[in-house]
Amino acid sequence: MSTFRSIVFASVIAGFVVGLIVTAVQQFGTVPLILKAEVYEKAAEHRHDAALAQPHVILVHDQAAHDHGAEAWEPRDGLERNAYTAGANILTAIGFALLLTGFLSLRSGATGEQVSWHEGLMWGLAGFAVFTIAPGLGLPPELPGVPTAPLLSRQIWWLTAVLATAAGLGLIVFRRSMPAAIAGVALIMLPHLIGAPELEHVETKVPSSLSHQFVVAVTMTSLIFWSLLGGLTSAAYAWLERPASTARG
């Protein structure tokens, strides 16, 4: 029971801290780029509205779909939007921290060694490779106003890339044999050989330079997220487990 409490408390502490830090980082990195892209997106919507207003244009279905999108709720810019972003970041960080502490606890129980922040950092970097680098190679982050392939197909490919990369890294790191390493590399490459879903023609007013800056900003923010999450989660778990280990000794 003490180990379970350590897992939960370490995840909540690390997730809360990392979520707040990443939210602050986003205010200087990704948020300004998103706001710039939304200007282009809203300008395109205004042009679409003007086209629909022409007497010779009758698109009942399209108009209804557009009205539905316009009425969709979204948080107001400023404090409300930042609060929802911070809440989502904290919950996401806590969820991933629970996975990390679970793996760290299993590793510590199997080897009998105390968890260190160095090991946690390595697990965090592995999470960065699995959840950011691998799927991002096929499906880079997109700004508002940039058309994308259908959501379901992108979700399926993203999940396939994540699972294949995680399994491939597991074979390489834990099996430590040439056949396993070859199989691991093949698994990691498989989703990219299949290819991510994409549109044949993409028409957008969002500048390509803005999209490039966004990809870089998201990648760097994710690197900060996973590095801090791995290091802080392992440090918090080791600190909470130390009294229990001393008492058992």
Side-chain angles (χ1 to χ4, degrees):
M1 184 60 69
S2 62
T3 298
F4 177 76
R5 285 198 301 267
S6 298
I7 291 174
V8 173
F9 289 157
S11 300
V12 171
I13 292 171
F16 186 79
V17 173
V18 172
L20 290 180
I21 292 175
V22 168
T23 301
V25 172
Q26 288 174 336
Q27 301 308 307
F28 300 96
T30 58
V31 171
L33 299 175
I34 292 173
L35 295 177
K36 289 180 181 179
E38 287 178 346
V39 173
Y40 292 96
E41 182 183 31
K42 291 175 181 177
E45 289 176 355
H46 291 324
R47 286 191 293 271
H48 180 63
D49 291 340
L52 291 175
Q54 297 298 322
H56 62 279
V57 177
I58 302 177
L59 298 175
V60 177
H61 177 74
D62 289 349
Q63 181 65 58
H66 178 75
D67 290 343
H68 177 74
E71 295 174 358
W73 178 89
E74 62 180 16
R76 293 187 296 271
D77 291 340
L79 181 60
E80 182 177 349
R81 187 170 186 171
N82 293 336
Y84 276 98
T85 299
N89 287 337
I90 290 172
L91 290 176
T92 301
I94 291 174
F96 280 121
L98 285 170
L99 291 177
L100 281 173
T101 47
F103 286 124
L104 291 171
S105 176
L106 291 174
R107 290 284 292 169
S108 177
T111 61
E113 299 177 356
Q114 189 176 5
V115 173
S116 66
W117 71 267
H118 303 87
E119 182 179 3
L121 177 60
M122 296 305 298
W123 278 94
L125 293 176
F128 173 68
V130 169
F131 291 99
T132 300
I133 296 298
L137 291 175
L139 293 175
E142 297 288 0
L143 283 165
V146 178
T148 58
L151 178 61
L152 180 60
S153 61
R154 287 187 288 122
Q155 288 177 330
I156 292 174
W157 188 90
W158 185 91
L159 183 60
T160 301
V162 166
L163 294 177
T165 304
L169 288 177
L171 287 173
I172 294 171
V173 173
F174 297 118
R175 296 301 296 270
R176 298 190 179 184
S177 66
M178 185 58 67
I182 295 174
V185 172
L187 271 175
I188 293 172
M189 294 177 58
L190 180 61
H192 305 283
L193 294 176
I194 296 174
E198 58 183 17
L199 298 176
E200 292 184 4
H201 303 287
V202 178
E203 296 183 3
T204 178
K205 297 298 183 180
V206 178
S208 58
S209 59
L210 195 64
S211 295
H212 175 72
Q213 292 175 37
F214 184 67
V215 171
V216 173
V218 169
T219 303
M220 295 307 298
T221 302
S222 181
L223 177 60
I224 293 172
F225 172 87
W226 282 105
S227 300
L228 287 176
L229 191 68
L232 290 178
T233 299
S234 56
Y237 177 74
W239 178 70
L240 290 169
E241 274 287 277
R242 188 177 296 112
S245 300
T246 304
R248 287 195 296 266

